[in-house]
Amino acid sequence: MFFLGIVIHGFLLRRVAASATPTDEQWAQLNQTVGGRLYTSLPLAASCFSTVNGLPSTPNATECSLVQQGYTQPDFRFAHYSAHMMPQWETCQSTVQRCLLNSNDPSDPAAWEDNECWQGAIAPYYIDVRSEDDVLEAISFINETGVQFSIKASGHDYKGRSSFGSLSLWMRNLDSLSYSANFTPEGGNATYPAITVGAGTPFEDVYSFAEENNITVIGGYHQTIAASGGWVQAGGHSILSPIYGLGVDRVLQYKIVTLDGVSRTVNEFQDPDLFWALRGGAASTFGVVLESSMLVEPQMSLRVASISFNQTADNARGFLELLVNNSYKWGQEGWGGHMGPATLINVNPLLTLEEAQASVQPVVDYALAQNGTAVVEDLPSWQTFFAKYVESAEASVGVQTILGSRLIPTDPFFTDDDGKEALVDLMVKMVDTYAVNPYIIQGTPFLYNYTEGTTSVTPAWRSSLWQIGFHENMAYNATLDTMYAQYEIVNNITSWMRELAPNSGAYFNEANPYEPDHEVAFWGDNYPALLELKNKYDPFKLLDCWMCVGWQGPADERYSCYLNISSNY
């Protein structure tokens, strides 16, 4: 083993040979320093299989039954280190080595009778992180050994950034929550109403806590997204973002351990360059975030419009035209929400109930004419809305899901007749060509009073009205050819989106895993400064993840399990 070393803040930062493998003695020492919370891991469904990692194994019927029951349940997956919400990132896709159940029927015995179980992308060792000291010990170990590592909180990751490596830091149990009506960022004087959230705290806990404290947290659209994880570090959209901004607009302070082994509290007064980078530069890039403090709003009532009907070949275009023709007005009125060719769930904290009913009447009339349903109602709080509407409509888990998306600029697609028609044509083409429905999020910071240069997300967020996304699902036992074919569909549709809006960008967390020219798509003109800060705070690239700032590219050995869809790089 060899290393080059420099001393930063009294911490010896080493560049160790990339192929370095820790010895058993080193692993044992690490386990001791983290209080016995270093664990070995196997895939979530390993207990169902008789061959695991090439060796005979005795199935455990009790454990296997529990896995079957919880396989598509977000809280079950959230509670297990080896479970990812999108299980292709538990697998090695390029070699088709995996350990999956049939998400359509997890009790289907063909999954384990016809297949072997392989480790795939699951790190064989993980630390159940319970404190800042655990992270400091882990960083010391990583510098000492050169072991490749990843960071996982909830596993809501569509690109595999929280998978792979020999060691993982599992942040789930940093689940603290506190509220201060007079929070003061360190080094500052002004006070703000703010909530401070541990790295592993899910939004379902955050929203319940907010309800108890009569406040509103602007957050994600799924119960088990970790509020201080990749959501708030890569952008963080909400259906309240049109008025109140993105997650990165609302964060006041982070606590982070950087790769030089220094625990830092960063905000606009302390390490402001790193604070800027963390407000959009994404997770698993500049260090290990322990918690974030975010501005909150008073508890607010919401006007909710919930509209749906049975989609046919004849009625989708008409509804999409109504959405395109009304969305600019809705944006000006403060609406945000999720929409599709036959659905709409939007919220508005600004309008009265009567104003809200009048605002959405055209789409109500259309849905009712299709024998659909339409409700426009007043709900007392975000938590009430979330419990009634979101938990039954949020993204599925336990299913191999590929996403693609694009931010759609306001001008010309919502201000010009030709632009509107081109946008509708694109969405209809998705439906007609691949039977793929566009998933429309009116969650950009359309009305938010943004201070230029304060965050590092792509500037396309500030000039867009919609994000259009879509997904393709893969069967648990998809062949290699089938996987390539389904990624090709995603690539084709995202290429249509880029042709439609070539000067826009995409949301890092929800973009095509094989997005070409990703630096421009995800960060635009901010990328050179982010790369400079990556080199400053992680000079030896101890943290590297797929398409993250400073990514070393698909040829790096740690990415051998990704498919070879790299002709654009």
Side-chain angles (χ1 to χ4, degrees), residues 38-248:
L38 174 69
Y39 298 99
T40 57
S41 67
L42 288 173
L44 178 67
S47 59
C48 300
F49 288 77
S50 58
T51 302
V52 177
N53 291 329
L55 299 174
S57 180
T58 302
N60 184 318
T62 301
E63 289 185 12
C64 179
S65 178
L66 292 173
V67 172
Q68 292 171 37
Q69 294 171 40
Y71 199 73
T72 58
Q73 301 303 311
D75 284 323
F76 180 83
R77 286 187 164 270
F78 187 65
H80 291 79
Y81 161 69
S82 61
H84 290 250
M85 299 299 168
M86 275 53 69
Q88 72 265 35
W89 303 117
E90 301 168 15
T91 77
C92 185
Q93 294 178 70
S94 64
T95 61
V96 203
Q97 290 183 315
R98 53 199 173 197
C99 189
L100 303 180
L101 301 186
N102 181 351
S103 57
N104 293 324
D105 178 10
S107 64
D108 178 5
W112 55 85
E113 291 178 354
D114 298 344
N115 301 279
E116 296 182 351
C117 171
W118 292 95
Q119 191 77 15
I122 304 299
Y125 292 91
Y126 71 95
I127 298 172
D128 178 4
V129 174
R130 300 292 178 119
S131 69
E132 176 185 296
D133 286 344
D134 289 347
V135 176
L136 289 167
E137 293 292 349
I139 296 301
S140 176
F141 176 82
I142 290 159
N143 274 283
E144 177 69 27
T145 63
V147 67
Q148 293 178 351
F149 80 109
S150 56
I151 304 167
K152 178 179 182 282
S154 66
H156 275 275
D157 181 3
Y158 290 93
K159 294 185 176 181
R161 296 161 298 178
S162 57
S163 303
F164 305 105
S166 298
L167 174 66
S168 180
L169 306 187
W170 190 36
M171 312 299 287
R172 163 65 184 97
N173 290 306
L174 291 183
D175 56 0
S176 59
L177 272 171
S178 63
Y179 166 63
S180 172
N182 299 287
F183 177 81
T184 304
E186 289 189 18
N189 296 310
T191 62
Y192 308 87
I195 188 171
T196 298
V197 185
T201 310
F203 269 119
E204 62 183 342
D205 291 354
V206 173
Y207 294 150
S208 294
F209 181 80
E211 183 84 356
E212 293 168 3
N213 286 274
N214 297 313
I215 56 176
T216 301
V217 174
I218 312 305
Y221 208 72
H222 201 291
Q223 65 203 72
T224 52
I225 294 172
S228 289
W231 182 86
V232 77
Q233 295 174 55
H237 65 66
S238 163
I239 61 174
L240 293 175
S241 290
I243 300 168
Y244 300 105
L246 300 170
V248 290

Side-chain angles (χ1 to χ4, degrees), residues 205-490:
D205 291 354
V206 173
Y207 294 150
S208 294
F209 181 80
E211 183 84 356
E212 293 168 3
N213 286 274
N214 297 313
I215 56 176
T216 301
V217 174
I218 312 305
Y221 208 72
H222 201 291
Q223 65 203 72
T224 52
I225 294 172
S228 289
W231 182 86
V232 77
Q233 295 174 55
H237 65 66
S238 163
I239 61 174
L240 293 175
S241 290
I243 300 168
Y244 300 105
L246 300 170
V248 290
D249 294 321
R250 304 186 62 79
V251 69
L252 300 168
Q253 183 168 282
Y254 293 101
K255 288 193 175 179
I256 182 174
V257 176
T258 45
L259 279 301
D260 53 2
V262 175
S263 180
R264 304 169 188 263
T265 299
V266 302
N267 51 44
E268 63 177 309
F269 310 104
Q270 299 179 167
D271 294 315
D273 59 347
L274 181 56
F275 183 55
W276 176 82
L278 291 170
R279 298 178 81 184
S284 298
T285 301
F286 300 98
V288 183
V289 168
L290 305 174
E291 68 179 32
S292 67
S293 298
M294 293 178 271
L295 183 69
V296 300
E297 300 295 326
Q299 191 172 90
M300 64 183 73
S301 63
L302 297 171
R303 266 51 64 200
V304 180
S306 176
I307 298 166
S308 64
F309 56 91
N310 290 327
Q311 180 178 339
T312 70
D314 298 323
N315 62 20
R317 185 180 184 98
F319 194 67
L320 290 170
E321 288 174 344
L322 277 174
L323 298 183
V324 171
N325 289 331
N326 283 275
S327 282
Y328 186 78
K329 174 180 75 75
W330 289 340
Q332 292 176 314
E333 294 171 340
W335 287 99
H338 292 208
M339 302 173 284
T343 59
L344 177 151
I345 302 178
N346 285 6
V347 302
N348 193 308
L350 301 182
L351 299 181
T352 66
L353 181 58
E354 292 74 18
E355 290 169 339
Q357 290 169 332
S359 176
V360 299
Q361 195 62 48
V363 286
V364 168
D365 292 341
Y366 191 92
L368 295 180
Q370 310 302 314
N371 296 315
T373 62
V375 176
V376 184
E377 64 178 329
D378 201 340
L379 293 180
S381 68
W382 171 262
Q383 172 67 3
T384 308
F385 163 75
F386 192 85
K388 182 172 183 177
Y389 287 103
V390 179
E391 291 182 3
S392 61
E394 61 193 7
S396 299
V397 304
V399 182
Q400 297 194 99
T401 303
I402 315 166
L403 286 193
S405 69
R406 192 75 173 171
L407 292 164
I408 305 301
T410 305
D411 185 18
F413 299 108
F414 302 95
T415 60
D416 176 82
D417 288 343
D418 290 340
K420 292 177 183 179
E421 184 176 6
L423 179 56
V424 172
D425 286 345
L426 167 71
M427 294 188 288
V428 171
K429 184 179 180 182
M430 293 169 59
V431 176
D432 290 348
T433 306
Y434 293 119
V436 169
N437 278 341
Y439 188 73
I440 301 160
I441 300 175
Q442 188 143 341
T444 63
F446 186 70
L447 296 180
Y448 178 71
N449 185 21
Y450 175 65
T451 301
E452 192 70 29
T454 53
T455 68
S456 51
V457 292
T458 172
W461 276 109
R462 312 297 171 180
S463 58
S464 296
L465 181 59
W466 279 5
Q467 175 186 286
I468 295 183
F470 65 95
H471 70 272
E472 274 285 294
N473 291 338
M474 298 186 292
Y476 80 100
N477 58 352
T479 65
L480 192 60
D481 286 344
T482 298
M483 287 191 283
Y484 271 106
Q486 290 181 282
Y487 275 105
E488 183 179 8
I489 291 173
V490 174

